Amino acid sequence: MSGFPRRGGVVTAMTHKILSDATLAAYRGASTASLCTLLYKRGLRKCFVEGVSRLNRAPIHLVGQAYTLRYIPSREDLNGIEVFRDPKHPQRVAVEAVPAGHVLVMDCRGDATAASAGAILTKRLEVRGCAGLVTDGGLRDAETIAGLEIPSFCARPSAPTNLTRHHAIDLNVPIGCGGAPVFPGDLMVGDGDGVVVVPLHLAEEIAEELTQMEAFEDYVFEQVSAGESIIGLYPPNEETLKRYAARAPKFGAGIKTGETT
């Protein structure tokens, strides 16, 4: 998908399925720990974005579908400061092309020695109604970004401009971010533990199970707080299931004996 000989292709059209508000609502407030378990039960072990954490000072939750930007290593003859004057520069185009409600996900090859964006671009994403920003590289102007309302996840703060290490090359193509494969449209969910990628084709299925799982774990946490042992409780035995079904009949049938959630 490379339409520009020097800086790669710019793909802005949405070709993936847009998840419903009801599906997205199931993930708002859901823990990434629960999602990792549900993905693991389906044989998926590489969906956690390694090495990134939330930059915001407030505990803001991230939920939104992915729009991707891929960087390759920079080269001095292609990445002078003047390239930002080009209105087709993929990084600048990305900020204006991410649909509202989507998350800009950047592949920096895990290199945080330079920023992949700064406060002005992040603020522009916020104003445009984007759902968040995830990068396995750095972010500059970190203190300013930390005070914004848009959820922002990065490897660490980093002051140098992206041009010193990164060459923006492709938009809205499959990428790797923190060791996790991310396809355009995949669901990104982030909290205090980090960011999880939910493959688009599993998002609706997992949403249904997630609601049951989170309700049961709230019950377990309540019981443990009251002094109950985890033996027979987590994972539940038959007696626990009966008590839980009486307490929450709407969700009780969705939890199985001996299943570790």
Side-chain angles (χ1 to χ4, degrees):
M1 295 187 179
S2 292
F4 294 89
R6 289 177 52 132
R7 284 189 292 280
V10 176
V11 181
T12 58
M14 292 290 98
T15 58
H16 56 257
K17 176 181 179 180
I18 302 300
L19 296 171
S20 69
D21 290 342
T23 296
L24 294 175
Y27 290 91
R28 302 194 190 282
S31 75
T32 54
S34 294
L35 287 174
C36 283
T37 298
L38 292 174
L39 289 164
Y40 176 70
K41 287 165 60 177
R42 290 163 170 81
L44 299 176
R45 306 181 182 187
K46 297 290 186 179
C47 292
F48 184 70
V49 180
E50 298 177 358
V52 309
S53 59
R54 185 170 54 201
L55 192 57
N56 307 85
R57 285 189 287 272
I60 305 171
H61 209 75
L62 169 79
V63 178
Q65 291 180 255
Y67 185 96
T68 63
L69 168 60
R70 182 171 73 94
Y71 287 104
I72 63 173
S74 65
R75 202 175 75 187
E76 288 76 5
D77 62 328
L78 297 179
N79 289 277
I81 194 68
E82 70 279 357
V83 301
F84 284 144
R85 296 184 180 276
D86 183 354
K88 294 181 179 179
H89 188 276
Q91 185 210 44
R92 272 23 185 193
V93 173
V95 171
E96 298 296 333
V98 183
H102 279 57
V103 176
L104 178 58
V105 186
M106 294 186 279
D107 173 6
C108 294
R109 313 167 315 284
D111 184 352
T113 58
S116 50
I120 291 175
L121 300 188
T122 305
K123 183 63 178 181
R124 176 60 178 160
L125 292 171
E126 179 183 270
V127 170
R128 293 190 57 248
C130 297
L133 172 66
V134 177
T135 175
D136 62 0
L139 288 175
R140 66 197 307 198
D141 312 314
E143 290 187 359
T144 301
I145 294 174
L148 298 179
E149 295 181 1
I150 182 172
S152 300
F153 290 75
C154 67
R156 66 173 185 266
S158 188
T161 176
N162 68 324
L163 298 173
T164 63
R165 299 293 294 182
H166 306 306
H167 175 88
I169 194 76
D170 272 323
L171 297 185
N172 214 31
V173 296
I175 63 170
C177 187
V182 183
F183 289 79
D186 283 347
L187 183 62
M188 310 298 295
V189 181
D191 62 10
D193 287 347
V195 178
V196 172
V197 185
V198 180
L200 178 57
H201 71 280
L202 292 175
E204 293 174 342
E205 172 189 320
I206 288 178
E208 296 180 6
E209 188 173 351
L210 178 63
T211 301
Q212 298 176 350
M213 180 177 180
E214 294 270 279
F216 177 70
E217 293 208 343
D218 286 346
Y219 169 77
V220 169
F221 193 86
E222 179 183 304
Q223 298 305 303
V224 169
S225 298
E228 187 170 339
S229 168
I230 62 168
I231 304 303
L233 175 68
Y234 189 74
N237 57 23
E238 289 289 353
E239 181 182 349
T240 296
L241 289 178
K242 289 179 181 178
R243 284 191 287 127
Y244 179 64
R247 168 83 171 269
K250 179 180 178 181
F251 298 122
I255 306 299
K256 299 178 181 178
T257 305
E259 185 176 75
T260 300
T261 56

